[in-house]
Amino acid sequence: MRILITGNMGYVGPVVAAHFRSVWPDAELIGFDSGYFAQCLTLPDEFPERVLDKQVFGDVRDFPTELLEGIDAVVHLAALSNDPIGARFEKQTEGINYRASIDIAQAAAEAGVKSFVFASSCSVYGIAEGGPRKETDTLTPLTAYARSKIATEQALEQLEAPKMAITCLRFATACGQSPRLRLDLVLNDFVATALATGEIRVLSDGTPWRPLIDVKDMARAMEWAIKRDSDDDGRFVSINAGRNENNYQVFQLAEAVAEAIPGTRVSINTNAPPDQRSYQVDFTRFAKVAPDHQPSVSLSESIGRLVDGLTSAKQAGREVVPAAAKRLTTLERLMDAGRLSDDVRWMN
């Protein structure tokens, strides 16, 4: 089997590549990435791309379609991946997350790729009152990032690709330890802040809902997507990927981190206006169709692995602090240094 992973040098990609290598030891794994976050390694001696057979650098907006020759499955992770980046780079978010994604999927279908896995997001539900959201419920994407994800899903459903199984995984909010850690995700941020300052300051009133999924379980869901039988499940599938028990309110996450890191103080802004980014998600369908690939990493395990990873990084002289490990900060730093253009392209 030959698998291409786009965006493999981000937060999720290294964990996915390692999982695929363990599941398919003889597979040929190829990575394609711009390298924006290549330097964001948690530990100095941990280079996750060692598990790949080949690493290709490039911009998905200029994707070399010859790379798809002989590929069996494409796992498409490449994206500008959060709301602050989408707000700052709305046009680029559309170009990278949506237009480039469809171009690559079309090229994959023409090249005879059998499986295309798209990393979508539960953020497409936006503000969702009235209980957990199912795949058939109304979508109210509130941000450029969320809009780019649902636009891609809708275009993929209409794609002329009768022989390519397309799976859109609407992931819960990612969390957990990775060789390239992001700290602009709610649980990761709480753990890092608690370790660094001894305090978690919740800027909202703590009531918004967030479904969570550990990056290890995201990788297992992508394994299922590659393996799934399109004759049974359908050529196109858009599905919530997570676990019903892993819907949490923000204050619950803060309390769980405080319990795991003794001495941590939690302050909640009870006077904050309501946070519209609040949604519970129903993962019943995923439990039914992917019983052998259900999320298995508990909240306490995710927190524990983050604590261990951040502690090891500090001991190795590579302390990971919240401000420096946010993706928007990294892009802005590269731009200030004259290495990235305003269009988020490398200058040399």
Side-chain angles (χ1 to χ4, degrees):
M1 184 187 300
R2 302 184 73 227
I3 303 173
L4 172 67
I5 309 170
T6 71
N8 68 289
M9 299 181 77
Y11 168 55
V12 179
V15 180
V16 171
H19 179 73
F20 286 180
R21 179 55 70 209
S22 68
V23 173
W24 296 297
D26 298 325
E28 183 177 353
L29 302 180
I30 302 167
F32 182 85
D33 198 283
S34 64
Y36 296 151
F37 309 110
Q39 77 279 18
C40 299
L41 290 167
T42 309
L43 293 173
D45 58 349
E46 190 170 356
F47 188 62
E49 286 68 50
R50 69 188 184 280
V51 304
L52 300 176
D53 295 282
K54 184 178 182 180
Q55 177 68 54
V56 180
F57 292 95
D59 192 310
V60 289
R61 290 169 290 187
D62 306 308
F63 184 78
T65 56
E66 61 271 15
L67 198 60
L68 294 165
E69 295 178 8
I71 293 294
D72 297 295
V74 173
V75 173
H76 187 52
L77 304 177
L80 293 177
S81 290
N82 64 21
D83 294 342
I85 289 178
R88 168 78 185 274
F89 303 106
E90 186 167 357
K91 179 181 177 181
Q92 293 81 2
T93 294
E94 180 186 6
I96 292 171
N97 294 15
Y98 166 52
R99 298 192 182 282
S101 298
I102 299 308
D103 289 344
I104 292 172
Q106 182 65 64
E110 293 171 1
V113 173
K114 300 179 181 67
S115 176
F116 188 89
V117 182
F118 174 60
S120 190
S121 169
C122 285
S123 66
V124 298
Y125 295 111
I127 186 169
E129 298 176 344
R133 299 291 92 177
K134 297 180 180 179
E135 291 85 351
T136 53
D137 285 336
T138 301
L139 305 176
T140 53
L142 299 173
T143 65
Y145 172 73
R147 289 192 294 271
S148 74
K149 289 298 184 180
I150 194 57
T152 302
E153 284 193 36
Q154 292 168 345
L156 286 172
E157 186 173 14
Q158 300 301 317
L159 194 71
E160 290 293 330
K163 296 183 179 180
M164 184 171 74
I166 300 173
T167 310
C168 301
L169 295 167
R170 291 181 184 172
F171 282 117
T173 301
C175 67
Q177 178 61 21
S178 164
R180 286 195 178 87
L181 192 58
R182 275 179 60 188
L183 297 183
D184 46 14
L185 295 160
V186 59
L187 185 71
N188 298 5
D189 178 45
F190 284 174
V191 173
T193 301
L195 289 173
T197 69
E199 182 178 13
I200 297 172
R201 301 180 66 184
V202 181
L203 300 181
S204 72
D205 64 1
T207 61
W209 286 92
R210 292 288 188 278
L212 292 189
I213 185 170
D214 194 277
V215 283
K216 284 183 172 290
D217 287 327
M218 293 176 73
R220 296 179 67 244
M222 293 179 211
E223 175 200 341
W224 166 79
I226 292 175
K227 288 180 174 179
R228 77 174 183 86
D229 189 341
S230 60
D231 291 336
D232 292 337
D233 303 325
R235 182 194 68 85
F236 175 85
V237 168
S238 179
I239 191 167
N240 297 335
R243 190 166 176 256
N244 286 336
E245 293 79 1
N246 290 354
N247 282 290
Y248 297 99
Q249 288 181 282
V250 171
F251 79 87
Q252 293 176 311
L253 299 177
E255 290 175 351
V257 172
E259 182 178 351
I261 305 174
T264 300
R265 303 179 303 279
V266 176
S267 64
I268 296 177
N269 184 4
T270 55
N271 296 319
D275 186 344
Q276 289 190 316
R277 295 170 304 163
S278 177
Y279 47 88
Q280 299 178 65
V281 178
D282 187 319
F283 299 102
T284 302
R285 185 181 173 205
F286 186 61
K288 181 179 179 180
V289 302
D292 297 329
H293 294 82
Q294 289 301 289
S296 60
V297 181
S298 68
L299 176 60
S300 61
E301 288 175 320
S302 293
I303 294 171
R305 289 172 181 170
L306 283 164
V307 170
D308 290 345
L310 288 164
T311 302
S312 296
K314 184 175 182 179
Q315 292 172 345
R318 197 179 182 89
E319 185 171 10
V320 184
V321 297
K326 294 183 177 181
R327 290 310 192 231
L328 178 57
T329 302
T330 301
L331 293 180
E332 289 176 335
R333 187 168 58 243
L334 291 170
M335 287 180 173
D336 290 343
R339 300 182 64 196
L340 279 183
S341 70
D342 290 340
D343 198 32
V344 199
R345 290 182 182 272
W346 289 107
M347 298 291 285
N348 53 30

